[in-house]
Amino acid sequence: MMVGALRVAIAEDSAILRDGLVQLLVDRGFAITGAVGDPGALRSSVAQNPPDVAAIDIRMPPTFTDEGLRLALELRARYEGLGILLFSQYIETRYAADLLADDAAGIGYLLKDRVADVGDFVEALERVAIGGTALDPEVVTQLLGATRRTDSLSVLTAREREVLSLMAEGRSNAAIAHALVISEGAVEKHVANIFAKLDLPVSEKDHRRVLAVLRFLDS
Amino acid sequence: MVEQTEDTGVHVRIRGKELSLAISEEHAVALKSLAQRIGREPFTKRPWAELAFFLVSGGLAGLGLAFVGFTMVTGVVLAITFFGLAVLALSIRSARGIGGWQRGLARALLSETVEDPEPFVGRHGFLGWLQSSLRDRVGWRAVAYLAVKVPWTVLGVFVAVSLWWDAFACLTGPIFGRGGGGLPVWGLVRGFFPYSSFWFQQEDFIHGVGVFILGAIFFFAAPWVTRGFVTVDRLLIRTLLCPDPMAARVRTLEQARTQTVDASAATLRRIERDLHDGTQAQLVALAMRLGMAKEKLEDADHLDLERVRELVDEAHRGAKEAIAELRDIARGIHPPALDIGLEGALATLAARSAVPTEVSVDLRTRPTPAIEAIAYFCVAELLANVAQHAHASRASISCAQQGTWLRLVVRDDGRGGAQLTTLGSTSSGLSGLTERVRAVDGRLNLVSPPGGPTVVTVDLPLSP
């Protein structure tokens, strides 16, 4: 991957976390185009110095509710191709639904805790930056827990469910293979089985298949 | 003849003899201002407004009582039938309405600000309406008001209103040539002083002057007599047309409860935010640093021990900060010091205070935990205020039992001038405390003249 070339803007109101993120990303060779503490500052930072991906905290001043989410939707509408990684202290499935309303390309939604697993976090950020999807396992768990498609899901094997979850997080076949310690060929076979069993349209692009899986779970 | 001399006494000379009255200057000034007051009173707005109120509200009350009385009697007579109860209910409801007009008149003419009673809420359906109307305490109290007010008004017409009438008759009589005969009050006076009628039968100049002077006396006395009657009416309005004391108490408690619920929701929100944006952010940053350090250690080829040490150092510092933050948050929820009792907790607070603070506690019974917590947070907030705003060199806390009450007094020798609204920066500040104190039926009183000292007294029931 093109580590070092990626440009990141950060909006996070907690100074400790913001500084930590900057330190981490600089350490990993990212270029930081701006590290700010509120929505307005990010807006002007992105306008002046457009990044590849904006990492945005959902809860920010002034009301500390969903400023980050609204800012993300606004930036996405204005800047085509800008990756958005939202991160938050807790996962709201409704926020995920808002974010993924029409497209999952270049969208990430992670718990803040994921920052602790530096490798995974950086990988997710890179994925979002190049138009992929990164959904927190928590989002996927919630969706799986809330879905009414339990009958359809029950036809999947345990391993196929694992693959489905990782697919829903937005991971590529290679990443799934790495995570489950199996070959890519095996992953491809599982994916094909899943799509066949759930009667989903097969698609090559990772972010399209995320959307397909999510729509299936949500319907 | 009265003349003011150089010394403080007043000398009165009657038929050549001089009487020295020992009236001090202070008293003389007071007498003078009293005389001025009496002299000016009829030419101010107030007596006329009062007279207007007396006449209008009296007339209205008379009509109202006639209507209410009639419907009530009809209702009672027909009470065996359903219709009778409905008439009775109507009677009480109209009394409530008339009470409202009376209150409006008092507000407009007397500037008497009596709070409106709680609005009538009929229960569902006709039967519900009937029951609510018959039980409407506000309506019944308005009936009582009318029943007392009308006789009082009648008496007032005989005394106060006729005094005004007399005044005008006497003042205009000598001019228009009609004596004071047939005056209502004069009739009474004449009964006591049989010779007095003599005055009015004579139509010479001297007697004309006498009648005029009498009229002037009436004229200056009338406002005060009217005021006496109106004052009694005011008291009636305040006691019978005000919100039902029981309902008012219920409402106060309801408000206090709502505020408490809101306040505790706000407190929970604050704690959640402190935890999320403070402690959790600290912990995430800490985990992130450890994660980075771990990665660096795994990269055996380019082991940058210096950088790893830095990261671990930062993580260590972050962990300690997170612990301190958690401790503060927990203390805000329940002060651990309270576990050993209020006395110890207050001593801890005093010791932590930036301003040297003395504590005296005299409690025979231990208050309930809720009261102890309120007392503790009150003192904590008040001491914080002392430290921030008062510029005080010393403060003291006293906590004593008075019967079934706990009295907290926090005093400082600062510059004073504190106000309930300006004290405390946030909702958790002093206004928040007032709400908490009110919620348990307690009282908070602030005395803070400019220049100090500031004394805040909080009374709390030992067990709410």
Side-chain angles (χ1 to χ4, degrees), chain B residues 212-367:
Chain B
F212 188 82
I213 290 173
L214 195 65
I217 293 171
F218 286 164
F219 181 69
F220 288 107
W224 305 96
V225 176
T226 315
R227 185 155 310 158
F229 277 91
V230 169
T231 303
V232 172
D233 202 345
R234 272 179 200 264
L235 290 176
L236 284 177
I237 290 173
R238 270 181 228 163
T239 42
L240 291 173
L241 295 183
C242 64
D244 188 24
M246 191 91 98
R249 191 180 135 76
V250 169
R251 194 153 44 162
T252 313
L253 284 177
E254 273 174 356
Q255 272 173 0
R257 190 189 56 189
T258 315
Q259 279 167 347
T260 312
V261 171
D262 288 351
S264 42
T267 307
L268 281 178
R269 177 103 176 92
R270 183 172 51 80
I271 293 168
E272 186 255 9
R273 188 168 294 168
D274 286 350
L275 283 174
H276 260 154
D277 300 345
T279 317
Q280 200 176 356
Q282 284 271 13
L283 288 176
V284 169
L286 159 65
M288 184 171 68
R289 296 225 154 84
L290 288 177
M292 285 165 75
K294 208 171 105 188
E295 285 212 329
K296 296 243 179 268
L297 286 174
E298 275 163 10
D299 189 3
D301 297 340
H302 316 85
L303 196 55
D304 182 355
L305 266 184
E306 194 47 45
R307 180 81 185 110
V308 172
R309 191 171 293 123
E310 256 174 45
L311 286 168
V312 172
D313 237 23
E314 284 168 10
H316 182 229
R317 206 164 43 238
K320 285 193 289 191
E321 278 168 19
I323 293 168
E325 250 178 47
L326 263 184
R327 189 170 43 226
D328 285 346
I329 293 169
R331 191 187 284 141
I333 301 169
H334 173 80
L338 270 181
D339 294 341
I340 52 169
L342 193 55
E343 185 165 1
L346 293 185
T348 312
L349 271 182
R352 268 218 310 262
S353 167
V355 177
T357 305
E358 272 175 44
V359 191
S360 74
V361 179
D362 176 23
L363 287 175
R364 274 151 288 149
T365 35
R366 192 168 174 177

Side-chain angles (χ1 to χ4, degrees), chain B residues 433-448:
Chain B
L433 282 187
T434 317
E435 282 163 22
R436 279 211 218 189
V437 169
R438 267 184 50 187
V440 291
D441 262 0
R443 287 182 298 268
L444 190 147
N445 182 37
L446 167 78
V447 179
S448 183

